[in-house]
Amino acid sequence: MSAGDLRLALSSALPAEGVRTAFGFLAHRMVEKLPPRPEGTAESTPPPSPLPLIACDGPGEEHLFRPHESWVTTCGPAIVSSNAPTGPT
């Protein structure tokens, strides 16, 4: 369903006397006016579970972080601090 289809279903043929509650109006329109789900479309899959917390391999005190990819072993702040210039330049 496109955004235009949704807009049309929710805003066409509005009642002349107005609406008592926006919530009730939208709920009715979502149930009664939207076209049915096309055959063969799968339900959306839930997002993947977050990766477990691991100990950071970077410098400083030992701490845990949640990596964004399974191969990451150092947290963002540790990467930044290890790339910082040391001493006078």
Side-chain angles (χ1 to χ4, degrees), residues 3-74:
D5 293 337
L6 179 61
R7 188 173 24 261
L8 183 64
L10 295 177
S11 63
S12 65
L14 295 173
E17 65 279 355
V19 180
R20 285 185 298 196
T21 68
F23 178 79
F25 176 75
L26 285 176
H28 174 75
R29 287 286 170 115
M30 296 293 283
V31 171
E32 299 298 324
K33 297 272 187 176
L34 289 180
R37 180 183 297 261
E39 293 287 327
T41 20
E43 292 291 326
S44 61
T45 58
S49 300
L51 295 170
L53 292 171
I54 62 170
C56 177
D57 288 343
E61 293 182 20
E62 182 178 4
H63 59 279
L64 300 176
F65 78 105
R66 189 176 310 277
H68 61 282
E69 295 287 340
S70 59
W71 51 266
V72 176
T73 60
T74 307

